[in-house]
Amino acid sequence: MDQPLKCFTNCLICMSGELVAQDLYFSSETGIITPNYYFRKDGVERIDLNGSIVAPGFLDLQTNGMQGIHFTQLASQKDQAGDDAQKLQTVSEMEVAHGVTGWWATVPTVAKDRWKQIVPTLMPRAFSSGAELLGAHVEGPFLNESKKGAHNAQYLQIPTETSPAELYGEMNLNGAIKVITMAPELPGSTALIGQLQEDYPHIVISLGHSAATYEQGIAAVQMGARALTHVFNAMNPLHHRDPGLAGLMATGKCYFSVIPDGIHLHPSVLTMCMRADPQKCVFITDSIELAGLSDGVHPGHGQIPGNQYKQGNKVTIQGTNTLIGSCCTVDECVRNAVAFSGCNLAEAVQCVTENIANMMGESKRGKLEPGRRADFVILNEGGFVKETWMGGNRVWPGVSR
């Protein structure tokens, strides 16, 4: 007997930057998108979406936390594994409410002994009612002090002085860690990139918090670096005779993330990034724990020793203009990109789905094609989230259709 299927009908689906009028078939039993069985009359539950837009489940590549939870606070006490699990559950539930079905937790530069404590808590895992944690992004400590941004300078390291295995732990490099951001101009960085790609080919090396020249960036890419972290922020500006790392966007050889919150980048610069390489441009929130909290002064944490000042999506170290991160959500990034650049909704969606999946080697996520996970976000024409589905079942809102 043929397996029962579900079918979204009367909808537009996001396909590689285009909106396509097409039905979408999937199985709630296997959690997989299937071929389009137009000929089947029985065993198909057809769901009329009344013209809504279906996108692949969004992917959040870089978040430091939200809802009062910052990942530097994990594993801060003994015997609190259950507390950490609840914190991650809280994050996953906020993520899924904004269309996210998979996310990577970013750990910014912390004290040397904290890496081996925090990172194991971020092993990939599923949650009962939220987006899946897909691993960790370690943003540090191999960063240039001159481009540290809000990172704590006293915790920065030089590659020649400590090894990744000593710092992060061999088990974490083989398990939880999926992205490492580093500055390629530091002594020993280029050799380290080559070593990491040989020993841990699943880890994406991203270049950031760096004063590197274009030539140093090219050398790093040749050794295996695959991305730029929040391009234009915490790196040298693009100059017509000295393009720096930002110039790598024109090579077609690396992905590059941008923060489309209207604060970290001018709208015209965001537009330039999207047009530079639509298949390599990636949107990130770079959200911190103040996402979802009220405006005002808030205490710091393992990364920020002083107070933080939140005003809308903008967060700075109190008394300075130093940006800490954003309080944007992924769906807001998508809507902002449409408003700032004039792109269509599907083009913006590609930057939080297909492009990220390709960058991270996620062959089962990010596209609406047979054989991939039946993870969806249903949007209205303005890009607002109406429903989120995971594995062929609706998970937000959490009431049956």
Side-chain angles (χ1 to χ4, degrees), residues 290-362:
L290 304 188
L293 301 187
S294 60
D295 286 357
V297 177
H298 296 265
H301 42 72
Q303 178 194 2
I304 308 297
N307 286 334
Q308 308 173 91
Y309 179 60
K310 177 179 184 292
Q311 188 175 22
N313 281 336
K314 182 178 181 179
V315 183
T316 55
I317 296 175
Q318 188 180 20
T320 76
N321 292 319
T322 301
L323 292 172
I324 297 173
S326 179
C327 290
C328 216
T329 56
V330 175
D331 57 322
E332 191 175 357
C333 287
V334 169
R335 294 192 297 273
N336 283 348
V338 173
F340 295 164
S341 72
C343 71
N344 69 49
L345 186 59
E347 289 173 310
V349 162
Q350 182 176 345
C351 296
V352 296
T353 55
E354 182 177 342
N355 292 357
I356 296 178
N358 289 342
M359 170 181 163
M360 297 301 296
E362 286 282 346

Side-chain angles (χ1 to χ4, degrees), residues 18 59 100 111 118 140 163-164 167 175 209 216 240 270 310 326 346 352:
E18 296 183 0
L59 299 171
V100 174
I118 296 170
S163 72
L167 189 69
H209 286 275
Q216 288 169 325
H240 59 288
L270 172 67
K310 177 179 184 292
S326 179
V352 296

Side-chain angles (χ1 to χ4, degrees), residues 90-103:
T90 298
V91 171
S92 74
E93 289 176 357
M94 181 171 173
E95 290 276 36
V96 84
H98 292 278
V100 174
T101 56
W103 55 284

Side-chain angles (χ1 to χ4, degrees), residues 42-66:
D42 299 321
V44 178
E45 177 188 352
R46 288 181 165 79
I47 302 169
D48 189 338
L49 293 184
N50 297 308
S52 295
I53 295 164
V54 183
F58 294 164
L59 299 171
D60 191 349
L61 181 64
Q62 184 165 343
T63 172
N64 305 274
M66 58 192 70

